[in-house]
Amino acid sequence: MKKQMKKVLALGLATVMAAGITACSAPAKEETAAATKTAETQAAGEVKDEYKIAVLLPGPTGYFVATKEGIDAAVKENNVKIEYADAQWDASKQLAQAEDFIVKGVDLIAICSVDSGSGEKIVKSANESNIPILAFTNAIGGEESGQYDGLVSYVGQNEVNTGAVTGELAKQLLGKDGGKAILIEGVPGTTPQINRKKGLERALEGSNIEVIFNQTSNWEKEQALKIVEDMIQKKTEFNIVICQDDNSATGAGQALKEAGLKDTVKVIGLGGSIDGLQAVKDGLIDGTTYMSAVEEGHVAIETAVKFLKGETVEPVTEIKQVEVNKDNVDTFKGEW
């Protein structure tokens, strides 16, 4: 009888232990299933707890202060953490910064490249590491639109179209009779210098405006002032100075004003900077272009977040430059 009782107790104990093991293992299976579902959700492009985006800037300028304002605003509106890196206009430094972010495993890199060549290397490295990469402001590659294989998207202006806007302004200012123009360009070999000139030439085709001289100012006001002073001293006849940036335009306008020629010679800038817009109001220059740097930064992050969420984004989002003259200048607010 005692042996039988022991068998019953042993059997009961085994049953209780088996039930306990089953009860303990059930939540573990549920947790595993939940973890698997979470991983599948993230892989499908749905919202994570927080996206980490690296923003690579080429160097310190007022323009990028405004761009960061737009980026920071977009960060507040979206589930994003931003980490900035400034290359101080050093292409090799920017490449190293990109490699560092790739090792950290950020969700996406947004780059405004120091130059197109180094930008291409960074895109290649990001692609090889399966890190999505988006370009803004400075296009990468040779396509006028800024579209480039390997990029999620390019957000910024089409430099050819921007150059064409300065040509349209020149035709409006000189009328059908046209005239002789001096072209003051930015840093030779850069994408803006090459494509802005290309757009200007396209816009002037068939007009009576002839570019009789062109020289670089390297985007510098003082260099542009010296170029125009030299042309005046040589008694060169010209009717308009077309510049690829506002700094150069204000320098050209100053030289003409000091020589007493500003009333007869027109000046065009590009960019819509605070100084450029004020120069239009003051009559120092006669026209410029405008594009919001704040909007550009905001759209860049919005586009990045859309991609990370699995939404379709366009290969190019163009932020267009528009004409500014004395009649509409008060409707624009300088950002940099």
Side-chain angles (χ1 to χ4, degrees), residues 182-216:
I182 291 173
L183 172 60
I184 298 180
E185 303 178 73
V187 176
T190 60
T191 299
Q193 178 268 322
I194 294 168
N195 285 344
R196 289 175 185 179
K197 183 177 183 180
K198 187 185 295 184
L200 171 67
E201 290 172 343
R202 287 182 186 176
L204 295 183
E205 285 179 5
S207 74
N208 290 318
I209 299 175
E210 178 189 4
V211 177
I212 61 168
F213 179 81
N214 65 288
Q215 188 170 330
T216 180

Side-chain angles (χ1 to χ4, degrees), residues 108-159:
L108 184 142
I109 293 173
I111 179 174
C112 178
S113 60
V114 173
D115 61 56
S116 182
S118 63
E120 290 177 10
K121 293 178 182 178
I122 292 171
V123 172
K124 182 179 179 182
S125 294
N127 290 169
E128 289 173 349
S129 301
N130 295 317
I131 303 291
I133 182 165
L134 171 150
F136 65 96
T137 306
N138 291 345
I140 295 172
E143 287 288 332
E144 294 178 4
S145 67
Q147 184 172 346
Y148 184 75
D149 287 343
L151 288 177
V152 167
S153 183
Y154 164 66
V155 177
Q157 63 185 307
N158 180 316
E159 296 283 7

Side-chain angles (χ1 to χ4, degrees), residues 2 5 49 51 55 87 104 118 130 132 145 173 197 199 227 232 234 254 289 307 314 319:
K2 287 181 179 180
M5 286 290 291
D49 289 340
Y51 292 119
V55 177
K104 287 181 179 179
S118 63
N130 295 317
S145 67
L173 289 169
K197 183 177 183 180
I227 290 168
I232 293 170
K234 292 176 182 177
Q254 184 177 331
T289 69
F307 174 81
E314 295 298 323
I319 311 295

